[in-house]
Amino acid sequence: MKFAVLRFPGSNCDQDCVYALNAIAGASADYVWHKDTSLAGFDVVVIPGGFSYGDYLRCGAIARFSPVMQSVREFAASGGPVIGICNGFQILCESGLLPGALVRNRGLHFLCQHVRLRVESNASRFTNAAVPGQTLNIPIAHGEGCYFADEETLRSLQANGQVLLRYCDAQGRPTEAANPNGSRDNIAGIRNEAGNVFGLMPHPERACDPLLGSTDGLAIFHSLMKGWTQPS
Amino acid sequence: MSNPLRNETLAGMKVLVTVLPKPSVLDPQGAAAAEAIRHHGLEKIGRVRIGKMIEIELPEAADESLLHEIARDLLSNPVIEDYELKVVNA
Amino acid sequence: MSNPLRNETLAGMKVLVTVLPKPSVLDPQGAAAAEAIRHHGLEKIGRVRIGKMIEIELPEAADESLLHEIARDLLSNPVIEDYELKVVNA
Amino acid sequence: MDTTFMTPITPEVIAKHGITPDEFTRIREILGREPNFTELGVFSVMWSEHCSYKNSKLELKKFPTTGSRVLVKAGEENAGVIDIGDGWAIAFKMESHNHPSAVEPFQGAATGVGGIIRDIFTMGARPVFSMNSLRFGDIRGDSAEARTNRRLFAGVVEGISHYGNCIGIPTIGGEVYFDESYAGNPLVNVFCLGVLRHDQIARGGAVGIGNPVFYVGAETGRDGLAGAAFASRELTEESKEDRPAVQVGDPFREKLLLEACLELLASGCVAGIQDMGAAGLTCSTCETASRGGTGVEIDLNLVPKRETGMTPYEILLSESQERMLVIVTKGEEEKVRAIFEKWDLPYAEIGVVNDDGMMRVREGDSVAVEIPARKLADDAPLYSREAAPKSRPEALDLSKYPEADCHAALRTLLAHPSIASKQWVWRQYDHMVRLGATVLPGSDAAVFIVREAGKILAASTDCNAIYCRQDPREGARIAVAEAARNIACTGAIPLALTDNLNFGNPHKPENFLQLREAVEGLAEACRAFDTPVTGGNVSLYNESPAGAIDPTPTVGMVGIVEDARHITTQFFKAAGDAILLVGEPGDELGASHYLLAVHGMKAGPPPRLDYDKELAVQGAVRTLIRAGLVKSAHDCAEGGLAVALAESCLSGETKFGAAVQIPGGAKRADVALFNESQSRIVISVDPGKEAEVLTLLAREGVPAQKIGTVTAGPDLEIQASGRALRWPLAELHESWSGTIPTLMGA
Ligand SMILES: Nc1ncnc2c1ncn2[C@@H]1O[C@H](COP(=O)(O)OP(=O)(O)O)[C@@H](O)[C@H]1O
Ligand SMILES: [Mg+2]
C-alpha cells in the first residue's frame, strides 16, 4: 500500500508525515509535488499540514486550485482514500470534497497542545483500528480549526455517521471545556458521505513516536494500512 | 497623487470586493473588536463584524460575470461568507 | 431583511471602516491573491491589495472624532496601514 | 534620473547619517575623493553599530571562540558551526529585533524571526528549531503604560507565532520577563538552530573571478530603509517618524527561499551565499567581496523591484525581507535558474565577481557607488568608549526588609508575570512540528530530537537582568551558569552558546561599563563551562525617555543528550518519591525576585557564583541522571527553593503535592524559602534509590540532603525556620497559571 504525501509550496508537515509513515507506521510513503498531475501507483493520498500558499486569502483557498488537486478530485471520485490533516482538512473543505469550513479559533489565538479525541465510529477505513468510544491523545496546532457547518449539514453529518472524531475530556465527554477552538458539536474530524475522504484538525503524525508523548496517532495510519471492508 | 504607481493605472478602474462573515457564523474577531471599542469609550454600539476588503486594479474593462465568479469562488467562501462587488473608476 | 438582528438597529447607523496596507508596504496577501486571480483567467490586472473591512452598528449618533480615533488607534496600525471611515444609514 | 547624485554633502547631511567628522575624514581617505550621497548612505549603514559593532567589537574579542568541537568560528561567517558527532554539525545564533518591535510589535518580531532563520540556512544548515527571549514593561494594572506593554507583548508573541508557525520551524523554548526598565523599549531576541553535515558548510565569500552574482527572493521595495541605522539610535518620540523603517515579513516566501537555497546548495553550483539582512544589498555585496578577497560589481537596473522610481540610494539601503545573494559557479547558471523557477521565486543575474577589490554598483552605464569592499566591510572605526569607574553593589541590609507573610509571598511570587507560567505564550507557537520536541516548553530546557541526524539536543535561553543591573559581571556569569544548569537538568552536556548583548547608549560611561563587565563575565564563565561562543548580536541604544534598560546579556546555550533514556524533566512523577536538594540551602536574598515582588526593590548584590561548586553540582546531577536514578530535576532560580518546589509540583500534566522541610539554620523563613543562592538543583528519586543517590553524591563531594517527599496532594507543605506553611495546590496553581491569561484577557 503506497501513500502519496502532497507537497504544496508552504506545506510544512509533509516531511513529518513521510517520516511517521515510513519510519514508524511501517508504511511506504513518497512525496507528490503540487505541479504534478499524476497519482498513478498510489493507494492513499495524504494532504499534510502547513500553510499552503501562505494560507493567504483563506486557509486552503489557493491550494484548492493547484494542478495536483484536480487529480485528487478524480482519485477521490473513483473511491480512493484521501486524508487531509490540519491544512489538508482546510483544503478538502475549500475544495468541496468535505462539507463545512474551518474558521478562526474562538479564542483568536493559534493553539498548539495535546487534545483528547473520542472515536465516534470505527466503521470507516480511517478508524477501523480503533474502538468506538475510545479516546485518543493527539496534538493540534492551528489558528483556524473551528469547524463550521450549517444546521442542516450538521444533522446529515450526524445522521450518516460522518463525524469520526470529537474533542472530549479525559472521561470521553464532548464538553464545552474540552472544545479547544469552538468547533460546532466538538467536531475534530469528519468523512464524506461515500466514506473515502477524511479530514481532521489534529496531527496523527505527531503522535506516533513514544518519545513525543503519545502513539495514538498510529490508530489512524494503521486503519488505513489495514484497508477497510464493509461491515456485514 | 505623487505616487507614480498610482498614476500608471489612473486611466483604469478598480474592483472593490468586500467579504463579510455570514450572520450565522461565529465572528470572534468582531466580538473582540466590539469589546475593545467599548473600552475605548464608545459604549453604545451594536454588533461589530470584521471582514476583508480586496481592491483590484483593472487597467481595462473586464467581464462582470468573471469578476463575480472570482469573488464568489476565490475571494470568498460561500459556506461562511457573503461578498459584495463594486466596480469604480479609479 | 428577515434577520431579526438587523431590524433592531435599522433605525440607527453604521460605521464602515476600511483598512488597507499603505502603498509602500509589502502586501504578501495581495500579491498572492493577484497570482491566484490571474490563474483564474483574469490576466490583465494591476495591483491587488487586501485589507480589512470593519462594520460597526451604531444605535445612536457618535462623536466623529472619537470614531476616527478608534479607527486610527484601534482598528488600524498607522505604521503600515491607512484607514477610511464612512458613516452610513443602516 | 538620480537626483540624489546631486545632493550636496553638507555637514548636516553627514550628521544626519550618524557619521562623525572624523569618520567622514576617514571615508574621504578611503575613497581618495568626496563620497557622493549614495556612497555616504552606504558608509552610514555599514559603519552603524548594528553592522560594524564599532562600539563593542573590542570587547567581543574577549570571548572564547575556539574548542575541539568548533568547525567554524564566531565572526568568520554568518553563524558559528559546532560538531555534534557522526559527521553532523549545528549552526546557531541569536539576534535582536528590539527597535522594530517597539514601533510595530507584530511585524518587528516576525521579521526578527525571518532574519535569524536566514542567517542559519545561509550556512547550509536546515533550521530545525527556534527560541525567543523577550522583555517588556509591566503588564499589570490599567495605566496607559500597562496597556501599551500588553499590546507590545501580545503583538510580539503573535508575530513570532505567525512567522515561525507558517515557515514550519518549531519554537520550542525561551523566556519572558516583565520589568519597568523595558517600558517603551521591549527586547525581542530570537534564536535559531540548524543542522548540517560537515561537508555541507556553505561560505559567504564571493570567490571565483568571473562567477555570476544572482539575486533571489522578494522584490526590493522601499521598506525598511536604513533599519540598521535605526537600530543604532535611541528610541525617542521622533522614532514614530522612523515608521517607514518598518518591514513586513512574508514567511511563505521565506519558506520557498529556504527550500530553494538548501536544494541549490546541495546541487553544488554555489560558490558563495549571503543573506540580505540589515543594510540589505549593500552589506551582502561588500561582505561577500571582502570575505572572498575579490570585488563585486552589480547593476541596479537588473534588481527585481516592487516599486518604480527607486533611487540607487533606496535600492542599496532597502531592508526588504526574504532576499539572498548567491555567487554561482560559472557555467551552472541554468541549473540555478531551474531551481528558482521550481520554487516560483523571483531572481535575476545582477552582477559578477571581479578581481579589483571594489564594490561597484552601476545603474546601467553610470556608476553609482565605487568603494574598496574590504575597507567598507572590515575597516569601520573601532571605539573603546569611556567606562565609568567600577562600583560594588551595596551590601544588603536585611533589617530594612522585614520578613513578609511567607504564605502570601509564595503566591505573590508565582503570580509575578516573570515567574508565572508562560503557557499562554508557548501554546501560540507550533512547538511540535518536525517531530522533535520531546521535552515541551514548560520544563527547564527544551529537548529536541533532530530526526535527520539522529541526535538529541537540549537548549535554553537565560538572563536575570536584576542580577546584571546590580552587578553586570556576576549577572553575566550567572546567566551562563544557569543556562548550563538548565541543560544539565535535562541530562545533557553543554556544547556552546550564543549571546545577545542588550544595553543602553554606549556613549554613557555607566552603560559602557555594564557592557564591558558583562562581556568579561560571560567570557570567563564560557571558559569555565567549556562552552565557546558561536556568535551573537549586540543591541545598544536600548533606552526610552525614562532611561536605559537594565543590562541584559542574554545567552542561548545548546547541549547534547547522549541517550534518549537520559531525558529528564522538571516535574514530579510519583507520590512517595524522595525529594533531594543537591547543593546547599543558601541564604542570599540580594537582587532576588522576592525583594522585587514583595518589597518592591531591586537591592543588594546578586548571589555569588562559585564555578567549582556549580560544576560539581551540575556534573553530579548529570551522572545520576545517566545512571537512571533521577525522576525529575529542576534548578532553583527566580524565587528560590520555594518556587522551584511549587513548579515541580505544578508543571507536569499530573499535579503532585510535597511535604518538605528546609534544612539549614536560616533565622528567617523568607530567607530559607526565597533566597536565590546558586548551584542548587531539586531532584526527585525513587524512595528505594535514595540511599544510593546520597552515597554517590557524598562520594563526589557534593553537598546534598533529602528534604522531603512527593505526595499525592492536595497541598504543598514546607517547614522552614520553625514555621510550618501549607498551600493548597489549587491555589498555587491558580496564581501561577492564571496570571498571564487573565492579564491578557485569555
Ligand atoms: N518566550 C517563550 N517562548 C517559548 N517558551 C517559553 C518562553 N518563555 C518561557 N518559555 C518556557 O517556559 C518554561 C519556563 O521558563 P522560565 O521560567 O524562563 O524557565 P527557567 O527559569 O527554568 O529558565 C521554559 O520551558 C521555557 O522554555
Ligand atoms: Mg530553570
Side-chain angles (χ1 to χ4, degrees):
Chain A
M1 175 170 280
K2 190 125 174 100
F3 287 73
V5 176
L6 305 191
R7 290 192 109 171
F8 296 100
S11 293
N12 63 33
C13 302
D14 46 341
Q15 294 173 17
D16 295 356
C17 283
V18 167
Y19 181 88
L21 283 164
N22 286 346
I24 306 176
S28 159
D30 217 336
Y31 300 107
V32 174
W33 186 236
H34 69 116
K35 291 176 187 169
D36 289 346
T37 48
S38 167
L39 291 166
F42 290 104
D43 305 298
V44 181
V45 170
V46 181
I47 312 182
F51 290 68
S52 55
Y53 298 89
D55 271 355
Y56 291 128
L57 274 178
R58 284 179 319 285
C59 304
I62 301 179
R64 165 193 170 191
F65 295 104
S66 78
V68 77
M69 282 310 291
Q70 187 49 42
S71 318
V72 171
R73 242 176 245 114
E74 287 156 16
F75 183 85
S78 64
V82 177
I83 173 171
I85 300 167
C86 197
N87 193 231
F89 187 11
Q90 294 162 341
I91 294 171
L92 289 173
C93 288
E94 279 284 339
S95 310
L97 287 169
L98 286 174
L102 292 144
V103 300
R104 190 89 179 256
N105 291 351
R106 174 170 53 187
L108 294 174
H109 293 304
F110 187 98
L111 291 179
C112 177
Q113 63 189 63
H114 278 272
V115 295
R116 294 214 159 260
L117 304 166
R118 187 172 74 186
V119 178
E120 301 291 300
S121 158
N122 70 343
S124 87
R125 60 174 111 192
F126 305 100
T127 50
N128 64 66
V131 184
Q134 179 182 351
T135 68
L136 304 176
N137 173 4
I138 298 181
I140 54 168
H142 59 244
E144 272 134 336
C146 171
Y147 183 74
F148 174 85
D150 58 29
E151 294 300 333
E152 200 188 314
T153 310
L154 288 173
R155 267 194 303 273
S156 75
L157 284 175
Q158 185 59 32
N160 302 332
Q162 287 173 250
V163 178
L164 298 186
L165 299 172
R166 282 205 162 87
Y167 300 108
C168 67
D169 64 12
Q171 282 73 46
R173 294 169 308 205
T175 59
E176 253 322 273
N179 186 346
N181 51 27
S183 289
R184 284 279 178 110
D185 294 349
N186 281 45
I187 286 175
I190 54 166
R191 64 164 171 84
N192 65 349
E193 229 182 306
N196 66 321
V197 178
F198 176 41
L200 76 169
M201 288 315 294
H203 286 269
E205 79 278 12
R206 298 185 183 186
C208 291
D209 182 345
L211 279 173
L212 301 183
S214 166
T215 54
D216 292 354
L218 285 173
I220 289 166
F221 293 142
H222 284 159
S223 296
L224 274 162
M225 289 162 70
K226 215 163 113 179
W228 187 62
T229 41
Q230 184 81 35
S232 48
Chain B
M1 286 295 116
S2 65
N3 186 331
L5 268 180
R6 298 197 85 130
N7 288 331
E8 280 172 23
T9 53
L10 258 184
M13 287 164 302
K14 262 188 201 170
V15 190
L16 298 179
V17 180
T18 41
V19 177
L20 280 173
K22 279 189 198 294
S24 60
V25 174
L26 196 69
D27 178 15
Q29 233 189 325
E35 236 338 273
I37 293 170
R38 284 198 196 95
H39 217 82
H40 219 90
L42 184 61
E43 313 259 328
K44 292 241 171 90
I45 51 168
R47 196 188 0 195
V48 175
R49 288 197 300 163
I50 300 200
K52 269 185 294 212
M53 159 63 104
I54 300 128
E55 186 195 270
I56 308 167
E57 289 178 352
L58 268 195
E60 52 190 64
D63 177 20
E64 282 258 345
S65 70
L66 178 59
L67 291 177
H68 274 280
E69 192 191 304
I70 287 170
R72 194 189 52 236
D73 292 353
L74 179 68
L75 303 178
S76 71
N77 177 346
V79 176
I80 44 172
E81 294 163 329
D82 295 322
Y83 78 90
E84 254 174 53
L85 186 149
K86 225 169 24 187
V87 181
V88 297
N89 286 323
Chain C
M1 287 293 116
S2 65
N3 184 332
L5 269 177
R6 295 198 88 132
N7 287 333
E8 277 172 27
T9 53
L10 260 186
M13 287 162 302
K14 260 189 200 168
V15 190
L16 297 179
V17 181
T18 41
V19 178
L20 281 173
K22 280 187 198 291
S24 63
V25 165
L26 178 71
D27 176 16
Q29 227 194 150
E35 243 337 274
I37 292 170
R38 280 194 202 100
H39 271 287
H40 229 86
L42 185 61
E43 311 258 328
K44 291 241 170 93
I45 51 168
R47 188 159 41 168
V48 175
R49 289 195 299 163
I50 300 198
K52 273 183 300 197
M53 157 65 104
I54 301 118
E55 184 195 88
I56 308 166
E57 289 178 353
L58 266 195
E60 52 188 67
D63 178 17
E64 283 256 346
S65 71
L66 177 59
L67 290 176
H68 274 279
E69 195 187 300
I70 287 170
R72 193 189 53 234
D73 294 350
L74 203 61
L75 303 177
S76 72
N77 178 351
V79 180
I80 47 176
E81 295 166 329
D82 294 324
Y83 75 91
E84 252 174 57
L85 185 150
K86 226 171 20 189
V87 182
V88 297
N89 285 323
Chain D
M1 195 192 63
D2 181 11
T3 49
T4 57
F5 239 128
M6 269 111 46
T7 309
I9 310 295
T10 61
E12 292 74 50
V13 168
I14 296 167
K16 249 193 124 175
H17 279 81
I19 289 175
T20 66
D22 281 351
E23 288 170 351
F24 188 70
T25 307
R26 187 154 174 168
I27 291 171
R28 262 200 313 231
E29 279 166 23
I30 288 174
L31 294 176
R33 58 176 166 82
E34 296 285 316
N36 65 38
F37 184 73
T38 305
E39 288 168 336
L40 189 70
V42 165
F43 273 104
S44 98
V45 291
M46 285 309 297
W47 287 10
S48 68
E49 175 62 31
H50 193 82
C51 291
S52 73
Y53 295 94
K54 62 185 170 189
N55 295 300
S56 51
K57 204 173 210 161
L58 293 173
E59 299 303 317
L60 300 182
K61 290 193 172 141
K62 297 171 181 167
F63 285 141
T65 55
T66 53
S68 54
R69 290 180 181 267
V70 177
L71 301 176
V72 174
K73 267 187 6 174
E76 258 176 47
E77 297 282 346
N78 290 285
V81 178
I82 300 290
D83 179 21
I84 55 168
D86 300 323
W88 287 96
I90 51 176
F92 63 92
K93 193 174 164 189
M94 188 152 47
E95 178 128 330
S96 65
H97 237 208
N98 303 339
H99 286 193
S101 304
V103 175
E104 213 306 289
F106 180 93
Q107 294 295 349
T111 51
V113 173
I116 191 68
I117 290 172
R118 279 193 300 284
D119 265 333
I120 299 306
F121 70 76
T122 302
M123 294 304 302
R126 174 171 284 279
V128 294
F129 68 75
S130 302
M131 302 194 286
N132 55 95
S133 168
L134 312 176
R135 304 286 186 286
F136 302 93
D138 201 340
I139 54 169
R140 295 170 297 186
D142 210 31
S143 65
E145 192 182 283
R147 266 182 275 148
T148 301
N149 294 333
R150 285 197 290 268
R151 182 179 62 79
L152 291 171
F153 175 37
V156 163
V157 169
E158 210 184 322
I160 293 172
S161 150
H162 164 71
Y163 208 102
N165 297 355
C166 181
I167 196 167
I169 297 170
T171 303
I172 61 165
E175 53 179 355
V176 194
Y177 288 83
F178 302 90
D179 185 276
E180 60 191 10
S181 96
Y182 306 106
N185 197 130
L187 301 187
V188 177
N189 294 177
V190 286
F191 169 107
C192 184
L193 177 143
V195 295
L196 68 167
R197 308 263 330 152
H198 288 186
D199 54 18
Q200 286 173 334
I201 298 172
R203 301 285 175 170
V207 295
I209 310 303
N211 275 344
V213 175
F214 276 73
Y215 169 114
V216 60
E219 298 88 346
T220 297
R222 286 192 176 85
D223 41 5
L225 267 188
F230 171 58
S232 307
R233 274 201 301 277
E234 283 179 36
L235 285 173
T236 59
E237 262 311 296
E238 290 87 67
S239 293
K240 290 189 188 122
E241 312 263 308
D242 283 324
R243 280 175 171 177
V246 171
Q247 313 136 16
V248 170
D250 182 354
F252 171 60
R253 263 287 167 75
E254 177 124 323
K255 167 77 173 160
L256 303 184
L257 192 59
L258 183 169
E259 297 297 346
C261 286
L262 292 180
E263 194 171 323
L264 190 67
L265 287 164
S267 76
C269 306
V270 175
I273 185 164
Q274 171 74 43
D275 65 306
M276 293 189 218
L281 204 46
T282 294
C283 188
S284 55
T285 46
C286 73
E287 280 193 354
T288 47
S290 173
R291 276 202 204 105
T294 55
V296 167
E297 177 166 330
I298 59 170
D299 182 352
L300 296 182
N301 285 346
L302 303 174
V303 169
K305 298 176 210 62
R306 202 171 77 230
E307 300 180 63
T308 53
M310 290 182 72
T311 64
Y313 184 94
E314 289 174 318
I315 300 167
L316 281 171
L317 269 56
S318 159
E319 294 192 353
S320 290
Q321 300 289 296
E322 292 95 23
R323 303 179 298 165
M324 304 285 274
L325 197 74
V326 186
I327 321 291
V328 172
T329 308
K330 198 164 178 52
E332 303 280 21
E333 292 87 339
E334 276 325 301
K335 264 200 225 163
V336 170
R337 289 198 169 91
I339 291 173
F340 293 150
E341 272 156 29
K342 171 181 170 192
W343 291 98
D344 295 322
L345 286 165
Y347 69 90
E349 185 178 332
I350 61 166
V352 64
V353 178
N354 58 35
D355 60 1
D356 64 4
M358 297 299 258
M359 166 190 181
R360 187 175 303 104
V361 179
R362 284 186 294 112
E363 197 182 30
D365 290 334
S366 72
V367 173
V369 168
E370 193 167 27
I371 305 174
R374 173 157 287 163
K375 292 222 148 49
L376 174 62
D378 296 334
D379 281 0
L382 294 182
Y383 301 109
S384 183
R385 298 285 172 202
E386 184 198 341
K390 279 195 216 182
S391 61
R392 289 209 52 80
E394 234 174 272
L396 186 67
D397 176 3
L398 256 192
S399 66
K400 283 203 213 147
Y401 309 100
E403 179 178 320
D405 170 353
C406 287
H407 190 271
L410 178 58
R411 289 197 61 180
T412 303
L413 276 163
L414 289 175
H416 189 282
S418 296
I419 294 178
S421 166
K422 305 299 184 303
Q423 189 195 22
W424 183 87
V425 175
W426 49 257
R427 77 173 191 179
Q428 293 187 51
Y429 302 150
D430 186 345
H431 45 269
M432 300 186 196
V433 64
R434 298 197 68 78
L435 309 184
T438 170
V439 174
L440 303 185
S443 193
D444 272 319
V447 181
F448 192 88
I449 308 164
V450 183
R451 300 277 169 189
E452 40 276 88
K455 298 281 177 191
I456 303 171
L457 301 176
S460 176
T461 67
D462 289 278
C463 179
N464 182 322
I466 304 181
Y467 295 175
C468 295
R469 174 185 196 265
Q470 299 301 97
D471 182 343
R473 179 180 294 259
E474 193 70 40
R477 286 162 24 113
I478 291 177
V480 178
E482 185 179 349
R485 202 185 307 139
N486 283 330
I487 285 182
C489 286
T490 67
I493 302 164
L495 293 175
L497 66 74
T498 171
D499 67 277
N500 205 138
L501 304 172
N502 305 276
F503 292 87
N505 183 342
H507 295 268
K508 298 179 189 165
E510 65 276 19
N511 293 344
F512 193 73
L513 174 73
Q514 292 176 339
L515 173 67
R516 171 172 292 164
E517 288 282 300
V519 167
E520 291 177 3
L522 288 179
E524 184 194 305
C526 286
R527 290 197 173 88
F529 292 95
D530 193 18
T531 48
V533 174
T534 64
N537 178 245
V538 178
S539 171
L540 305 179
Y541 306 93
N542 288 293
E543 310 224 349
S544 66
I549 58 161
D550 285 352
T552 314
T554 309
V555 305
M557 190 184 280
V558 179
I560 189 158
V561 183
E562 285 177 349
D563 187 325
R565 285 170 302 185
H566 300 161
I567 300 168
T568 304
T569 50
Q570 72 175 31
F571 26 91
F572 293 143
K573 302 294 182 306
D577 284 350
I579 304 171
L580 273 54
L581 174 66
V582 184
E584 282 151 1
D587 60 3
E588 294 153 291
L589 217 44
S592 66
H593 264 68
Y594 166 73
L595 286 185
L596 179 77
V598 176
H599 293 280
M601 290 296 291
K602 296 177 187 171
R608 257 173 320 102
L609 175 74
D610 177 325
Y611 292 125
D612 292 336
K613 245 199 246 173
E614 181 72 44
L615 284 163
V617 165
Q618 290 184 19
V621 168
R622 196 162 36 234
T623 305
L624 292 172
I625 288 176
R626 292 159 143 245
L629 295 169
V630 176
K631 290 188 147 177
S632 72
H634 187 26
D635 75 317
C636 297
E638 289 83 9
L641 181 56
V643 165
L645 286 166
E647 287 173 344
S648 288
C649 290
L650 300 173
S651 55
E653 208 184 326
T654 314
K655 319 278 174 253
F656 288 97
V660 170
Q661 192 160 12
I662 301 185
K667 286 198 201 68
R668 282 172 48 166
D670 58 350
V671 174
L673 290 163
F674 307 123
N675 82 76
E676 295 184 8
S677 285
Q678 295 296 296
S679 314
R680 296 184 300 163
I681 296 176
V682 175
I683 62 174
S684 67
V685 306
D686 188 282
K689 300 278 170 61
E690 184 191 318
E692 186 185 344
V693 168
L694 286 169
T695 311
L696 236 149
L697 287 165
R699 204 166 57 216
E700 301 275 323
V702 174
Q705 47 207 310
K706 176 176 178 183
I707 59 170
T709 311
V710 178
T711 67
D715 298 326
L716 168 64
E717 294 166 52
I718 305 181
Q719 290 180 37
S721 311
R723 251 177 244 277
L725 296 148
R726 173 193 294 267
W727 297 268
L729 285 177
E731 264 179 32
L732 294 181
H733 189 252
E734 187 197 302
S735 306
W736 179 71
S737 72
T739 296
I740 290 182
T742 305
L743 286 171
M744 301 307 291

